[in-house]
Amino acid sequence: MVEEGRFREDLYYRINVIHLRIPPLRERKEDIVWFMQHFIEAFNRAHPEEARRIDPRTQEALARYPWPGNVRELKHAVERACILSPGPVLGADAFFGEGQDVGAEAPTSRPLADYLMDCERDYLRMVLDQHGGHMTHSAEALGITRKTLWEKMRRLGLQARDEP
């Protein structure tokens, strides 16, 4: 950005003191379980009436998953599982969907675009459910326009409810 003239060179050298390389989660599998437990504990502190814990077999499967979105993807997966799981034990279905063989490798052979589309669809469904299917309120919560929400829903095959 400095070379393109979009960032001040003197400012770059002021903040460029230490270079830190934080390896991705796929290179530090031992951290995955720690992060999972941390995110579940945070959820449990915020929602003590809905305390969650993770099934050990599921924990093993999640530790094998490469987490291309790194810690943020893991955090969102844990939060989604805590919110959508009907019971206190988070099983494979909460993370991978129904029918996933937990003993098998985590689903890494899917194209990333398909995976991201499924995540977006699930998230939009969750926000729409939180707002009773009301598109205007859901769009506001998402920080997008109603038209953008409608276009995303159409692209993802989601149905809108009629609003007054």
Side-chain angles (χ1 to χ4, degrees):
M1 290 174 59
V2 170
E3 291 172 1
E4 296 171 0
R6 296 182 354 198
F7 195 85
R8 287 183 20 205
E9 185 174 13
D10 65 311
L11 183 56
Y12 170 77
Y13 287 110
R14 285 179 188 236
I15 63 174
N16 188 23
V17 177
I18 298 174
H19 292 276
L20 295 177
R21 181 187 180 278
I22 301 174
L25 276 178
R26 68 181 169 273
E27 292 179 17
R28 50 193 175 110
K29 300 256 184 213
E30 66 280 358
D31 290 349
I32 293 172
V33 173
W34 183 89
F35 277 117
M36 277 189 287
Q37 292 300 332
H38 172 74
F39 296 138
I40 290 171
E41 287 170 12
F43 179 86
N44 289 341
R45 278 192 303 277
H47 308 278
E49 69 284 353
E50 302 173 32
R52 304 284 195 241
R53 65 185 190 285
I54 193 162
D55 175 77
R57 285 191 56 206
T58 301
Q59 188 170 302
E60 292 170 16
L62 293 173
R64 288 191 306 269
Y65 185 73
W67 300 105
N70 284 308
V71 176
R72 181 170 292 157
E73 180 187 7
L74 176 59
K75 180 181 183 192
H76 291 170
V78 170
E79 287 175 350
R80 182 175 55 247
C82 287
I83 292 167
L84 298 178
S85 180
V89 179
L90 303 175
D93 291 352
F95 291 93
F96 299 127
E98 290 187 41
Q100 174 68 33
D101 179 10
V102 182
E105 284 294 312
T108 59
S109 60
R110 289 175 60 193
L112 180 59
D114 292 347
Y115 175 76
L116 293 174
M117 189 180 297
D118 289 345
C119 289
E120 185 178 22
R121 182 181 298 112
D122 292 344
Y123 187 67
L124 289 180
R125 272 191 198 124
M126 182 183 71
V127 171
L128 285 161
D129 288 346
Q130 287 175 345
H131 295 280
H134 196 276
M135 287 185 55
T136 303
H137 295 156
S138 298
E140 288 172 1
L142 291 165
I144 59 176
T145 66
R146 189 177 185 284
K147 181 181 183 219
T148 301
L149 176 58
W150 180 83
E151 289 169 349
K152 286 179 177 293
M153 289 173 63
R154 195 176 107 227
R155 179 175 53 82
L156 297 169
L158 295 174
Q159 298 296 316
R161 112 185 159 142
D162 292 330
E163 293 185 5

